[in-house]
Amino acid sequence: SSLNPVFPVGWQIAEMFRVHRGMNRSDAETEAVKLMERVRIPAAEERAGNYPHQFSGGMRQRIMIAMAIALNPRVLIADEPTTALDVTVQAQIMTLLKELQEESGMGLILITHDLGVVADVADDIAVMYCGRFVEHCDVRRLYANPAHPYTVGLIDSIPRLDQKGEQLYAIGGLPPSLTDLPTGCSFNPRCRFATDQCRTPGAPPFIEVEEGRFAACYHTEEVLNRERV
Ligand code: SF4
């Protein structure tokens, strides 16, 4: 939906080269076809003349990725790159992003609500709540034993195959309005570890709680040593 519906996709990719690299139209279009091949669009040369509505959602996402990597960025920020795609296409898009990242060595910052997608692709995760970092750690440790109650809630909310017939877990309550945050830790009305300290004015500091692991919580130790469900 970010593509312009009235121009062929090849023209839209080529625009990057015309505007930023000063290429002539024919050279820019040759580069656009190469990029379409790089993001695995079959019959790229013929399809460069097609309009966005002639592609599936997954293919359109590949075109967007082609535009994003056209100028060899050092960092690619992919904000919800798999939203509105079905699971199979999601997996293909994530595989493609991973391959492109490995080929080019660029950094990849993935912004997503999908913890499954993150587990597969990321080296490090920063979890945010109400616009702030609440935990930052390498993927392996974060999934094995989260240190912040919000991360615990997110991970416990993932349906598990061995939990048939049980009610699915959800974090109680709703995220607060950013213009009317609770006093103290923003997560305190929804947190099962909350104490009076959590309701005192000021957010808990975001500090290193273990080597290479940062969290913004007064009770990290209890969270790390909690009884598991
Ligand atoms: S500071 Fe308190 S309310 Fe906030 S996440 Fe930690 S335990 Fe929960």
Side-chain angles (χ1 to χ4, degrees):
S1 60
S2 300
L3 291 167
N4 190 325
V6 299
F7 290 103
V9 296
W11 188 93
Q12 296 187 54
I13 301 172
E15 189 177 31
M16 304 293 289
F17 298 107
R18 289 197 308 273
V19 173
H20 294 280
R21 296 272 154 85
M23 282 186 189
N24 62 39
R25 190 173 173 160
S26 146
D27 288 350
E29 282 178 7
T30 307
E31 289 302 315
V33 170
K34 282 191 206 157
L35 264 178
M36 287 175 68
E37 284 165 354
R38 209 169 146 210
V39 296
R40 333 276 192 252
I41 305 261
E45 200 161 353
E46 291 126 64
R47 302 230 61 196
N50 288 164
Y51 290 84
H53 74 272
Q54 294 172 290
F55 289 83
S56 65
M59 285 293 157
R60 284 199 293 266
Q61 194 69 320
R62 286 171 191 266
I63 305 286
M64 286 306 299
I65 293 170
M67 290 167 79
I69 61 167
L71 303 175
N72 298 321
R74 288 171 65 194
V75 178
L76 176 65
I77 302 175
D79 190 350
E80 298 285 5
T82 56
T83 305
L85 300 176
D86 67 52
V87 180
T88 320
V89 181
Q90 273 184 20
Q92 291 166 358
I93 293 292
M94 289 318 303
T95 305
L96 173 66
L97 281 172
K98 207 170 164 183
E99 284 171 6
L100 292 171
Q101 187 269 323
E102 280 162 10
E103 271 168 38
S104 64
M106 70 183 170
L108 177 60
I109 299 176
L110 200 61
I111 302 169
T112 180
H113 286 92
D114 191 330
L115 285 168
V117 165
V118 180
D120 218 24
V121 178
D123 298 316
D124 288 293
I125 303 191
V127 180
M128 296 185 78
Y129 187 75
C130 289
R132 286 171 177 268
F133 282 162
V134 292
E135 182 163 3
H136 177 206
C137 182
D138 61 273
V139 169
R140 194 185 47 77
R141 273 192 296 168
L142 188 128
Y143 279 80
N145 193 14
H148 191 279
Y150 180 54
T151 321
V152 173
L154 290 177
I155 291 178
D156 286 351
S157 305
I158 301 172
R160 293 199 331 233
L161 286 174
D162 61 340
Q163 276 186 324
K164 283 187 185 148
E166 289 174 39
Q167 188 160 357
L168 295 174
Y169 176 80
I171 303 173
L174 292 169
S177 156
L178 291 182
T179 57
D180 187 22
L181 291 173
T183 305
C185 172
S186 306
F187 191 57
N188 85 66
R190 310 175 73 190
C191 181
R192 64 182 157 110
F193 296 88
T195 61
D196 288 346
Q197 185 186 14
C198 308
R199 289 179 273 273
T200 55
F206 187 60
I207 50 170
E208 191 163 21
V209 293
E210 277 178 359
E211 202 189 332
R213 183 199 280 255
F214 296 80
C217 176
Y218 296 121
H219 302 300
T220 311
E221 210 158 298
E222 285 154 71
V223 179
L224 284 169
N225 297 315
R226 75 196 178 282
E227 210 174 294
R228 311 296 184 85
V229 246

